[in-house]
Amino acid sequence: MLDLRQPWSIGPVEIPTRLVLAPMAGVSVQAFRRQGRRFGAGLVCSEMVSSAGIEHRNERTLGYLRVATDEHPLAIQLFGSDPAAMAESARMIEAAGADLVDLNFGCPVRKVTKTGAGATLLDDPEHASRIVSAIADAVDIPVTVKLRRGMRDGSRDCLSVGPRLVDAGASALTLHPRSAQQMYTGTADHALTAELVSLVDVPVIASGDIVTHTVAREVLERTGAAAVMVGRAAQGNPWALEAIVDGTVREPSREEIVAELVLFVREAVGELGARRASGFLKKFYGWYLGHGRFPREFRQQLVVLDSTDEVEARLFAAAPGAIGLVERLEAEIPPGDAVTLELPISIYGGG
């Protein structure tokens, strides 16, 4: 029986579980990644970072990427279209302490594709290969690529592009088998994932519609993929990661939910600053407290509060027992020795 806690490797990088936490724009901050590691993710990824932002240092930023010692193994995801600029950005990412450089060839958002980056690179495999080759030559850490099936519905471009990217130096591929045209609609066609696995001799990570332990195992067994990537299912719900890895489904108590949310809020404030974190966190209140866990009116009240201190006080009032849980978590979790990586994070949508 396949065990999702079985370790695997990308090049020399050993990954302790078969679950990868997806890079998601506006979500995958350090607080999210550290929490994901605690709940079973073997590999965590930053949201995509613009190589143009790194090069020019003047892109409007969502925040600064922070790297903590307890995040490793960590992939920093990069997007852009210029091989030389991408290679220089990759060198900086390696110097910052990342274990992997992940290239985004899958983002379907128009603001990204119109620049020649993201999923549009699947229409130009020669150029995509040049980017991979330039980065693989520039760094000593493994280079991985996240891609979609192609730009248009029904496309099978990933099956021709994927092997070329491996030949150019990619050490692993992640396939989200939807087209860029589909965005996040429809279903992920993992029969395509199985075909890609058969064509390359590097690990393939299966992404898309992985929401339960049963689905994760079925996809791994049916496709031969090395691991699964989980994204939206983990937003405000780290217990989903635990369930996918172990197969044990449990509903967290109100106290656990509030404790994890308060810890997340505190770490986000430390990372982003109180003002920026206040706006950033609003979507997380609904994610954590939804699923029938807390009344809608309570969630709506949190969103309009002016400060995270007020949010924390209101949460503790709703679940006083969470105060002790937060104290215990903060005592148990290592500080992480967070280091700020002065790289602008793209404000564009994720892939």
Side-chain angles (χ1 to χ4, degrees):
M1 300 293 283
L2 193 146
D3 181 2
L4 270 77
R5 286 203 176 273
Q6 182 181 33
W8 61 292
S9 299
I10 298 176
V13 178
E14 183 166 308
I15 301 165
T17 75
R18 302 272 168 167
L19 191 154
V20 179
L21 188 59
M24 292 178 282
V27 176
S28 299
V29 294
Q30 184 191 77
F32 182 77
R33 301 191 305 264
R34 293 183 73 198
Q35 185 184 64
R37 288 285 287 122
R38 285 195 290 115
F39 278 83
L43 173 65
V44 295
C45 308
S46 77
E47 57 187 295
M48 61 182 186
V49 181
S50 165
S51 67
I54 296 173
E55 183 180 20
H56 300 300
R57 308 298 179 96
N58 61 3
E59 184 188 62
R60 184 163 61 95
T61 63
L62 177 65
Y64 292 107
L65 192 64
R66 293 159 61 93
V67 178
T69 54
D70 61 348
E71 291 185 83
H72 298 289
L74 166 70
I76 294 180
Q77 190 181 76
L78 187 64
F79 84 97
S81 59
D82 179 72
M86 294 276 278
E88 182 56 33
S89 298
R91 289 189 191 97
M92 294 174 67
I93 286 170
E94 180 180 33
D99 301 286
L100 304 161
V101 178
D102 186 56
L103 308 182
N104 186 310
F105 291 2
C107 182
V109 175
R110 176 64 181 159
K111 286 181 180 179
V112 172
T113 58
K114 73 178 183 182
T115 69
T120 194
L121 285 163
L122 300 173
D123 278 346
D124 191 350
E126 215 169 284
H127 188 58
S129 297
R130 282 197 296 271
I131 291 173
V132 172
S133 180
I135 294 174
D137 288 344
V139 298
D140 292 326
I141 58 177
V143 178
T144 63
V145 184
K146 184 169 188 256
L147 61 158
R148 287 192 172 229
R149 67 180 300 159
M151 283 293 289
R152 288 157 292 280
D153 289 351
S155 171
R156 294 170 58 83
D157 287 347
C158 62
L159 300 182
S160 57
V161 177
R164 293 186 64 169
L165 301 181
V166 172
D167 289 343
S171 295
L173 302 173
T174 299
L175 179 62
H176 185 151
R178 285 182 171 92
S179 68
Q181 186 179 356
Q182 275 182 279
M183 299 290 284
Y184 297 98
T185 63
T187 57
D189 180 8
H190 284 296
L192 208 62
T193 308
E195 289 190 65
L196 181 61
V197 169
S198 72
L199 294 173
V200 297
D201 58 0
V202 299
V204 173
I205 301 165
S207 174
D209 301 342
I210 311 295
V211 293
T212 68
H213 178 75
T214 299
V215 170
R217 281 186 45 187
E218 286 177 351
V219 168
L220 290 175
E221 290 170 356
R222 178 159 51 96
T223 65
V228 293
M229 178 173 281
V230 176
R232 287 172 289 171
Q235 292 176 346
N237 193 22
W239 301 275
L241 299 177
E242 189 177 64
I244 289 169
V245 171
D246 292 333
T248 303
V249 179
R250 67 178 185 88
E251 181 58 29
S253 68
R254 287 167 64 94
E255 288 75 19
E256 286 179 278
I257 294 162
V258 167
E260 286 293 343
L261 176 53
V262 167
L263 185 63
F264 186 86
V265 168
R266 290 180 179 180
E267 290 198 359
V269 169
E271 179 179 355
L272 304 174
R275 184 174 180 180
R276 181 176 292 175
S278 182
F280 167 80
L281 287 164
K282 291 184 186 297
K283 57 182 173 284
F284 285 90
Y285 302 149
W287 288 342
Y288 274 91
L289 305 175
H291 313 282
R293 294 168 175 168
F294 284 78
R296 178 179 295 181
E297 295 75 17
F298 179 71
R299 305 196 306 265
Q300 291 172 337
Q301 290 167 11
L302 296 184
V303 171
V304 299
L305 294 176
D306 291 329
S307 73
T308 56
D309 287 342
E310 292 176 279
V311 169
E312 185 173 316
R314 195 70 65 89
L315 287 167
F316 281 146
I323 297 173
L325 285 179
V326 171
E327 292 174 353
R328 192 185 76 199
L329 284 170
E330 289 186 324
E332 291 175 352
I333 298 170
D337 300 323
V339 177
T340 300
L341 176 61
E342 298 294 324
L343 303 179
I345 300 177
S346 172
I347 60 171
Y348 302 139

